[in-house]
Amino acid sequence: MTKISVVQDYQNPQAGETLTLTLDEKIRREVLRNGIHRPKGYTVSYHANPEVEKMHFGSKHPMKPWRLTLTNKIVMAYGMHNAMDVYLSRAATSQEMVEYHKQDYIDFLQSVVPTHRLEQDPVTGAWPYNMGDDCPVFDGLFSYCSLYTGASLDAARKVTNNQSDIAINWSGGLHHAKKAEASGFCYINDIVLAILQLLLYHPRVLYIDLDVHHGDGVEQAFWSTDRVMTLSLHKYDKMNYFPGTGGSDDTGPKTNANPGAHHSLNVPLQDGIDDASYIQLFKDVVGPCIKIYNPTAVVIQCGGDSLGGDRLGCFNLNIRAHGACVEYTKKFNLPLIVLGGGGYTPRNVARLWAYETSVCIGTEVHPSLPAHTPFLEHFAPDRTLFPELSQTGRYDNKNSEKYLRDIVMSVREQLRYVQGSPSVQLQHVPPDIGAVREEVERELQEIKEGKDVGRKRKERGVGTRGEYAH
């Protein structure tokens, strides 16, 4: 009988002989196949935390954080992470959240658990802080809120520190949350907090919302200031479609004496808008907004529920059309934060956000999803990045050419009241909202401050703390 040695000599495995190396090689080949490389002349950062993906609203709830898992798997399968600075985002602190939200609301989110019995108001029937079926209490609720908010704050800080030109956080974009209550699957308004962070350094910020639902929470937060212009393209039906706001006449305070007058712009749409109409409309309103308002930074919310076939949507958009809006915005070469938002058919939302990641890094990826993409069966039978969505549960297009022309004219009429770039009151620069920086960030900031002493003297005091939390 042949004696077998218990201890074997270690044989250095060759490339392709282990599962890890095989996957690495496949990704490397995909990178070469698609010509993926770090963008020239600008930096893209990608902010994510896998803990967000584990959260569960409930089996029957349309919000599925697992869509982020699918998104990240596609991004990595293509090898797009090689073209970006990828950061594991931290959790936002309660101190940072109260820069906009009420302290008692934050305290409630920190303490509430599913076993708590919530009492309805005996008169109105309302639940505390608008919690309920749309905004349920689930295990890890505050952790979920702090993680997606922290990623948006980190993205904003990378932009303000000149470490990123484009910062992506697909877990963010929860635009319905109000100052003291949850709304529309949203608990903390990470967009408002990120914009407040930008306003520490940027005189003017343009916010663009592509979600099929009106971006009411962000609009409300900056209703009375001219330092933020909000622009929302959405389905509008005051009586029958959530949230019932965002008509063409909702343009900010009615008195011109209020700085926020004419700085809340809305593009109310009917069912079934198609690719060509949407792209042209987007260009016709965004172009003039940027030219006249002259923002120094842009935040774009890329809600995927405006895609055709979405569980809660009613448009006929394909992925390329949605991505064309991000591409157009990117061409203005302004500091840009790209956020997620709605989207309730996870496989399509994941494809959309993966594609828009490729747009941000300036790469046209192959339409066939890489064969090594995890959960590839979820994208069957076509297994493509660009499924035909405009025919999936198609809605008749009720947006006539005249209707769309009238919308464009309405937006441009409001822009006539925007007399060039708004002035910035010179008082003191508000402190960073609870920034928890890594040591390297402190060092980079010190270098930046050394270079920008003259600029900071001119911009000192771009507003007072809490100025926009109305």
Side-chain angles (χ1 to χ4, degrees), residues 208 210 233 278-286 325 328-329:
I208 304 171
L210 300 181
L233 297 83
Y278 194 85
I279 294 171
Q280 189 60 54
L281 176 66
F282 184 85
K283 293 179 178 180
D284 288 345
V285 295
V286 170
C325 298
Y328 181 74
T329 305

Side-chain angles (χ1 to χ4, degrees), residues 293-330:
Y293 184 61
N294 191 26
T296 56
V298 177
V299 177
I300 186 167
Q301 193 262 26
C302 302
D305 47 9
S306 47
L307 292 175
D310 187 81
R311 181 175 174 183
L312 300 183
C314 55
F315 290 169
N316 295 325
L317 299 183
N318 284 297
I319 287 171
R320 288 187 187 276
H322 201 287
C325 298
V326 177
E327 177 68 40
Y328 181 74
T329 305
K330 175 189 168 190

Side-chain angles (χ1 to χ4, degrees), residues 292-459:
I292 294 172
Y293 184 61
N294 191 26
T296 56
V298 177
V299 177
I300 186 167
Q301 193 262 26
C302 302
D305 47 9
S306 47
L307 292 175
D310 187 81
R311 181 175 174 183
L312 300 183
C314 55
F315 290 169
N316 295 325
L317 299 183
N318 284 297
I319 287 171
R320 288 187 187 276
H322 201 287
C325 298
V326 177
E327 177 68 40
Y328 181 74
T329 305
K330 175 189 168 190
K331 287 181 179 178
F332 288 93
N333 296 318
L334 293 167
L336 179 63
I337 296 178
V338 182
L339 302 173
Y344 308 102
T345 305
R347 62 184 181 277
N348 294 337
V349 178
R351 288 187 268 212
L352 170 69
W353 290 346
Y355 173 62
E356 291 180 338
T357 301
S358 76
V359 168
C360 290
I361 64 175
T363 298
E364 182 66 36
V365 295
H366 194 277
S368 297
L369 292 173
H372 55 273
T373 304
F375 311 111
L376 190 60
E377 66 276 8
H378 287 274
F379 306 100
D382 47 40
R383 298 184 179 182
T384 177
L385 192 61
F386 305 111
E388 179 53 59
L389 301 179
S390 61
Q391 302 300 323
T392 305
R394 184 177 179 83
Y395 285 78
D396 291 336
N397 189 352
K398 298 179 180 179
N399 300 276
S400 67
E401 290 185 10
K402 180 182 183 306
Y403 179 76
L404 297 178
R405 285 198 303 270
D406 289 345
I407 289 177
V408 173
M409 292 301 296
S410 175
V411 170
R412 292 184 177 182
E413 177 65 21
Q414 294 305 316
L415 289 172
R416 289 180 58 244
Y417 293 93
V418 179
Q419 300 298 323
S421 304
S423 60
V424 176
Q425 189 176 6
L426 298 178
Q427 293 178 357
H428 67 279
V429 178
D432 189 342
I433 58 174
V436 181
R437 301 189 187 280
E438 300 292 340
E439 186 62 33
V440 65
E441 285 189 292
R442 293 195 189 96
E443 294 174 0
L444 288 168
Q445 182 66 10
E446 289 171 3
I447 294 172
K448 176 177 177 292
E449 288 175 352
K451 293 179 179 179
D452 294 343
V453 171
R455 178 183 64 78
K456 285 198 170 186
R457 285 173 180 166
K458 292 180 181 179
E459 294 186 356

